[in-house]
Amino acid sequence: MAERAFICGHPIEHSRSPLIHTHWLREFRIDGVYERRDVPPEAFADFVGALADEGYVGGNVTIPHKEHAYSLVQRRDDAAEAIGAVNTLWFDDGVLFGGNTDAYGFAANLDATEPAWTESGTATVLGAGGAARAVVHALLTRGLREIRIVNRTLSRARALADRFPGRTSHHGWEALPELLSDTGLLVNTTSLGMGDPTAAVLDLGPLPKSAIVADIVYVPLQTPLLKEAAQRGLRTVDGLGMLLHQAVPGFERWFGIRPEVTSALRDAVIADLQEKQ
Ligand code: NAP
């Protein structure tokens, strides 16, 4: 019988995860399926409770269920513990595990595109939502010296810095020009400019010429921030790689083979993004 995995969210029709996992299932000729499940918040606990009976080997969890999944699993990996959210579920000896592969995906994408990124020293992170938690965790575990969290709502930036005390600090948007002047790695995790290529962008003038600018938003792929950075001759990293790399550990757990993020996979997802934009 085919192995079954899923992505569960609400809404879920926009998710590219089925495209990614089906690409790998075909590549390795695995008799498996990866299904899209639209589950509203009030039905999520029952959905998770029925996974084993439904024959699932595991799956992904996305908005708005990542924190609820954290509270429902029996065991969690270190990343999920630190981030407070679960995006990957699997069974081990009948026990339901929850992991978080977003931090891994973020770091693996930078490893693949800018291998010296961990020597950036000081990072500035725009945004303090769920994705920013994964990014800050990745930056800390990969040894960045200092992490500044900048957010429109200062209280959320403070809460995120408090969650990871020590090398983090929190700031309002107005502090950016000064913060940028000694930033080695700038990461955007806000939905600012998402789907709106004409949206106003930051003035990246103060950034050192050696800085790397990464955006985790991938619709559009070339965000206004990345365009502005490229025009200034800065190195840029787009958000699609994070999405592709975060899928690797889940696929390996469910189907037993560690897949690779290839240019063929990337091209297939880009074609889909262009078709449905
Ligand atoms: P979230 O929890 O809703 O957080 C959104 C963040 O964006 C908050 O910091 C919010 O600031 C900020 N923001 C929204 N509109 C803004 C505006 N007009 N001006 C300034 N700041 C604004 O969302 P999330 O889950 O962190 O996701 C953020 C983005 O990351 C989404 O676009 C998502 O698609 C992307 N993402 C990508 C990947 C990937 O694999 N590449 C993975 C996860 C997420 P306030 O706190 O002030 O509201």
Side-chain angles (χ1 to χ4, degrees), residues 11 36 40 42 90 95 118 141 160 163-164 200 223 240-241 244 248:
R36 210 184 280 268
E42 63 277 14
W90 69 94
V95 175
T118 51
T141 51
L160 179 51
R163 182 177 188 96
F164 297 101
T223 61
L240 180 54
L244 302 177
V248 169

Side-chain angles (χ1 to χ4, degrees), residues 63 66 102 126-132 150-154 156 173 188-192 194 215-218 239-240 242-244 246:
I63 292 168
K66 289 184 182 185
D102 282 334
L126 308 177
V150 179
N151 198 44
R152 177 179 62 179
T153 309
L154 189 62
R156 287 186 91 193
W173 215 253
N188 176 51
T189 76
T190 73
S191 31
L192 189 65
M194 195 180 158
D215 205 322
I216 71 159
V217 170
Y218 56 89
L240 180 54
M242 174 177 172
L243 178 76
L244 302 177
Q246 65 76 32

Side-chain angles (χ1 to χ4, degrees), residues 12-275:
I12 199 60
E13 60 279 1
H14 64 280
S15 173
R16 265 72 191 196
S17 291
L19 180 58
I20 298 168
H21 289 285
T22 304
H23 176 98
W24 286 329
L25 286 169
R26 287 198 189 121
E27 181 183 337
F28 298 115
R29 297 180 204 283
I30 292 172
D31 182 18
V33 287
Y34 183 92
E35 301 168 1
R36 210 184 280 268
R37 298 289 306 260
D38 191 329
V39 178
E42 63 277 14
F44 184 67
D46 286 345
F47 173 77
V48 171
L51 289 179
D53 288 344
E54 286 208 41
Y56 282 119
V57 291
N60 285 124
V61 174
T62 188
I63 292 168
H65 303 311
K66 289 184 182 185
E67 275 144 28
H68 196 179
Y70 174 92
S71 68
L72 292 174
V73 296
Q74 292 162 278
R75 300 278 300 277
R76 294 183 280 260
D77 72 7
D78 290 347
E81 283 296 354
I83 296 163
V86 156
N87 76 340
T88 305
L89 300 173
W90 69 94
F91 288 99
D92 193 345
D93 258 347
V95 175
L96 181 62
F97 276 73
N100 191 307
T101 64
D102 282 334
Y104 165 82
F106 172 75
N109 183 35
L110 279 164
D111 287 340
T113 48
E114 289 292 342
W117 71 276
T118 51
E119 288 149 35
S120 301
T122 298
T124 298
V125 176
L126 308 177
R133 273 194 285 178
V135 167
V136 170
H137 176 65
L139 296 171
L140 287 168
T141 51
R142 294 298 298 273
L144 274 285
R145 198 172 53 232
E146 192 190 332
I147 296 149
R148 292 87 164 261
I149 300 160
V150 179
N151 198 44
R152 177 179 62 179
T153 309
L154 189 62
S155 57
R156 287 186 91 193
R158 186 186 302 119
L160 179 51
D162 287 350
R163 182 177 188 96
F164 297 101
R167 283 178 279 149
T168 56
S169 57
H170 66 277
H171 308 267
W173 215 253
E174 70 291 342
L176 265 175
E178 199 185 326
L179 296 176
L180 289 182
S181 66
D182 62 351
T183 290
L185 172 64
L186 175 66
V187 186
N188 176 51
T189 76
T190 73
S191 31
L192 189 65
M194 195 180 158
D196 178 6
T198 62
V201 287
L202 298 177
D203 175 11
L204 299 182
L207 271 180
K209 288 275 167 272
S210 57
I212 300 171
V213 178
D215 205 322
I216 71 159
V217 170
Y218 56 89
V219 181
L221 195 55
Q222 279 303 109
T223 61
L225 179 76
L226 293 182
K227 271 192 192 148
E228 158 89 358
Q231 275 162 11
R232 290 180 177 275
L234 300 166
R235 290 172 289 164
T236 62
V237 179
D238 69 49
L240 180 54
M242 174 177 172
L243 178 76
L244 302 177
H245 283 279
Q246 65 76 32
V248 169
F251 188 92
E252 185 180 23
R253 288 206 187 274
W254 310 319
F255 303 114
I257 295 177
R258 190 165 184 88
E260 280 189 22
V261 172
T262 58
S263 51
L265 172 62
R266 189 177 154 87
D267 290 347
V269 179
I270 289 174
D272 188 69
L273 290 171
Q274 282 167 347
E275 196 182 309

